[in-house]
Amino acid sequence: MSDLVVRPPWQLRGDGYVIFYRFERDFALQWTPPELHDRFRGGTGAVAFVNYKDSPVGGYGELLFIPGRFDDGKKARFSITRIFVSTYSSVMSGRANWGIPKERASFNVGIDDEGLETLTTEAINGDPIAQFSVRPGLLKMPLPNNRLFPLQIVQWWEGQQFNTKFWGGGRLGLMDVEGLHINGDLFPDVSGQTPIGAVKVWGFRLTFGVPKIQS
């Protein structure tokens, strides 16, 4: 096992930005491995930008795409099919621990004097991947810890299925998306899709559990 892999469970802390969609099926399947097409069940999907300020591998940035839910043999669960993170340890740990197909990129979060936040992801060679301009609202509400009713994702990696529970809490508020620029060669260009909502989560604390793995 690589020294870069840190075993679960993980405790993470940071801020997150999530835009929700109901993606058109053809669009979702463009960014889904062919072997999973028959498992795709649709429903709500999302694009998320996460600024992890603390984790077992330190702080790092993350950009991910969830096309919707997939049949794991028992239920339809969310699955991540495209994801970038800013550190090699997160890449290696994400793949080995939970079957998440992470790749490395660089990240930046900026904010201007009027409260507009700019979230930028670039490939290691400098090619742009995505830039979001968002304006979080002033109203924040508690997001209770869901330890008793955890969420679950399913991932498939190197012939294995990973089912992982996660839970956490923070403060939640609505968010306006004022600008969106995506390199459609590297990440799903959601600019042609209609969002159904967007939120920012401040100061979340998240636990990513030990997965159940089956061949």
Side-chain angles (χ1 to χ4, degrees), residues 7 12 18-19 21 27 29 43 52-53 57 60 67 71 77 80 100 110 137 139 163 172 181 188 192 195 209 211 215:
R7 285 299 192 183
L12 307 106
V18 187
I19 310 171
Y21 296 87
F27 176 84
L29 293 184
Y52 291 107
K53 298 179 180 179
V57 296
Y60 65 92
D71 183 0
R77 304 190 189 277
I80 300 165
I100 300 174
L139 181 62
N163 282 75
L172 177 74
H181 302 281
S215 299

Coordinates of all heavy atoms in Angstrom, one line a residue, residues 7 12 18-19 21 27 29 43 52-53 57 60 67 71 77 80 100 110 137 139 163 172 181 188 192 195 209 211 215:
R7 N -5.9 5.4 5.5 CA -7.1 4.6 5.6 C -8.3 5.3 6.3 O -8.0 6.1 7.2 CB -6.8 3.3 6.4 CG -6.0 2.3 5.5 CD -6.8 1.9 4.3 NE -6.2 0.7 3.6 CZ -6.7 0.2 2.5 NH1 -7.8 0.8 2.0 NH2 -6.2 -0.8 1.9
L12 N -13.3 15.3 8.2 CA -13.0 16.4 7.4 C -13.7 17.6 7.8 O -14.8 17.5 8.4 CB -13.3 16.1 5.9 CG -12.7 14.8 5.3 CD1 -13.8 13.8 5.2 CD2 -12.1 15.1 4.0
V18 N -22.5 23.7 -3.7 CA -23.2 22.7 -4.5 C -24.3 23.3 -5.3 O -25.1 24.1 -4.9 CB -23.8 21.6 -3.5 CG1 -24.4 20.4 -4.3 CG2 -22.8 21.1 -2.5
I19 N -24.3 22.9 -6.6 CA -25.3 23.2 -7.6 C -26.1 22.0 -8.0 O -25.4 21.0 -8.4 CB -24.8 23.9 -8.8 CG1 -23.8 25.1 -8.4 CG2 -25.9 24.5 -9.7 CD1 -23.1 25.6 -9.6
Y21 N -29.0 19.7 -10.0 CA -29.6 19.6 -11.4 C -30.4 18.3 -11.5 O -30.3 17.4 -10.6 CB -28.5 19.5 -12.5 CG -27.6 20.7 -12.6 CD1 -26.4 20.8 -11.8 CD2 -27.9 21.7 -13.5 CE1 -25.6 21.9 -11.9 CE2 -27.0 22.8 -13.7 CZ -25.9 22.9 -12.9 OH -25.0 23.9 -13.0
F27 N -26.9 13.6 -21.6 CA -25.8 14.3 -21.0 C -25.1 13.6 -19.9 O -23.8 13.5 -19.8 CB -26.3 15.7 -20.5 CG -25.2 16.5 -19.8 CD1 -24.4 17.3 -20.6 CD2 -25.1 16.5 -18.5 CE1 -23.4 18.1 -20.0 CE2 -24.1 17.3 -17.9 CZ -23.3 18.1 -18.6
L29 N -24.9 10.4 -19.3 CA -24.2 9.2 -19.7 C -22.9 9.5 -20.5 O -22.0 8.7 -20.6 CB -25.1 8.3 -20.6 CG -26.3 7.7 -19.9 CD1 -27.1 6.8 -20.8 CD2 -25.9 6.9 -18.6
G43 N -32.5 11.0 -11.6 CA -32.9 11.7 -10.4 C -32.0 12.9 -10.3 O -31.4 13.4 -11.2
Y52 N -11.6 21.8 1.4 CA -11.4 21.2 2.7 C -10.2 21.9 3.4 O -9.1 22.0 2.9 CB -10.9 19.7 2.4 CG -12.1 18.8 1.9 CD1 -12.1 18.4 0.6 CD2 -13.1 18.4 2.8 CE1 -13.1 17.6 0.1 CE2 -14.1 17.6 2.3 CZ -14.1 17.2 1.0 OH -15.1 16.4 0.5
K53 N -10.5 22.3 4.6 CA -9.5 23.1 5.4 C -8.7 22.1 6.3 O -7.6 22.5 6.8 CB -10.2 24.2 6.2 CG -10.8 25.2 5.3 CD -11.5 26.3 6.1 CE -12.2 27.3 5.1 NZ -12.9 28.4 5.9
V57 N -5.2 14.0 5.4 CA -4.1 14.3 4.4 C -3.9 15.8 4.3 O -3.3 16.3 3.3 CB -4.3 13.6 3.1 CG1 -4.3 12.1 3.2 CG2 -5.6 14.1 2.4
Y60 N -7.2 20.5 1.1 CA -7.2 20.3 -0.3 C -8.5 20.8 -0.9 O -9.5 20.9 -0.3 CB -6.8 18.9 -0.7 CG -7.9 17.8 -0.4 CD1 -8.9 17.5 -1.3 CD2 -7.9 17.2 0.9 CE1 -9.8 16.5 -1.0 CE2 -8.8 16.2 1.2 CZ -9.8 15.9 0.3 OH -10.7 14.9 0.6
P67 N -23.8 12.5 -11.7 CA -24.8 12.6 -12.7 C -26.2 12.2 -12.2 O -27.2 12.6 -12.8 CB -24.4 11.6 -13.8 CG -23.4 10.7 -13.0 CD -22.8 11.5 -11.9
D71 N -27.9 2.0 -9.7 CA -28.4 0.8 -9.0 C -27.2 0.0 -8.5 O -26.3 -0.4 -9.2 CB -29.1 -0.1 -10.0 CG -29.7 -1.4 -9.4 OD1 -29.5 -1.6 -8.2 OD2 -30.3 -2.1 -10.1
R77 N -28.3 4.7 -5.6 CA -27.5 5.6 -4.8 C -26.7 6.5 -5.7 O -26.4 6.2 -6.8 CB -26.6 4.8 -3.9 CG -27.3 3.8 -3.0 CD -26.4 3.2 -1.9 NE -27.0 2.1 -1.2 CZ -27.9 2.2 -0.2 NH1 -28.2 3.4 0.2 NH2 -28.4 1.1 0.4
I80 N -20.1 9.3 -7.9 CA -19.3 10.3 -8.5 C -18.6 9.8 -9.7 O -17.9 8.7 -9.6 CB -18.2 10.8 -7.5 CG1 -18.9 11.4 -6.2 CG2 -17.3 11.8 -8.1 CD1 -17.9 11.6 -5.0
I100 N -13.2 6.1 -5.6 CA -13.5 7.4 -6.2 C -12.5 7.7 -7.2 O -11.3 7.8 -6.9 CB -13.7 8.5 -5.1 CG1 -14.7 8.1 -4.1 CG2 -14.0 9.8 -5.8 CD1 -14.8 9.1 -2.9
G110 N -11.3 32.8 -4.5 CA -11.1 34.3 -4.3 C -12.4 34.9 -3.9 O -13.5 34.4 -4.3
G137 N -26.0 33.8 0.0 CA -26.9 34.7 0.7 C -26.4 34.9 2.1 O -25.5 34.3 2.6
L139 N -28.5 34.7 4.8 CA -29.2 33.8 5.7 C -28.5 32.5 5.8 O -28.3 31.8 4.8 CB -30.6 33.7 5.4 CG -31.5 32.8 6.3 CD1 -31.6 33.4 7.7 CD2 -32.9 32.7 5.7
N163 N -19.4 0.6 -1.3 CA -20.6 1.3 -0.7 C -20.1 2.0 0.6 O -19.6 1.3 1.5 CB -21.7 0.4 -0.4 CG -22.5 0.0 -1.6 OD1 -22.0 -0.8 -2.5 ND2 -23.7 0.5 -1.8
L172 N -26.0 26.0 6.5 CA -26.4 26.0 5.1 C -27.1 27.3 4.7 O -27.9 27.8 5.5 CB -27.3 24.8 4.9 CG -28.0 24.6 3.5 CD1 -26.9 24.0 2.6 CD2 -29.1 23.6 3.7
H181 N -18.0 29.0 -16.3 CA -17.2 28.8 -17.5 C -16.5 27.4 -17.3 O -15.7 27.2 -16.3 CB -16.1 29.8 -17.6 CG -16.6 31.2 -17.8 ND1 -17.2 31.7 -18.9 CD2 -16.8 32.2 -16.8 CE1 -17.6 33.0 -18.8 NE2 -17.4 33.3 -17.5
P188 N -17.8 18.0 -17.2 CA -19.1 18.2 -17.8 C -19.5 19.7 -17.8 O -19.5 20.4 -16.8 CB -20.0 17.4 -16.8 CG -19.1 16.4 -16.2 CD -17.8 17.0 -16.1
G192 N -25.3 24.3 -20.2 CA -26.5 24.1 -20.9 C -27.6 23.4 -20.2 O -28.7 23.2 -20.8
P195 N -30.2 24.5 -13.6 CA -30.1 24.1 -12.2 C -31.4 24.2 -11.5 O -32.3 25.0 -11.9 CB -29.1 25.2 -11.6 CG -29.2 26.3 -12.6 CD -29.5 25.8 -13.9
G209 N -16.9 7.2 6.1 CA -16.7 5.9 6.8 C -15.9 4.9 6.1 O -15.4 5.1 5.0
P211 N -15.8 1.7 3.9 CA -16.7 1.1 2.9 C -17.0 -0.4 3.0 O -16.1 -1.1 3.6 CB -16.0 1.4 1.6 CG -14.6 1.3 1.9 CD -14.4 1.9 3.3
S215 N -16.6 -7.7 -4.8 CA -16.1 -7.9 -6.1 C -17.2 -8.1 -7.1 O -18.3 -8.6 -6.7 CB -15.1 -9.2 -6.2 OG -14.1 -9.0 -5.3

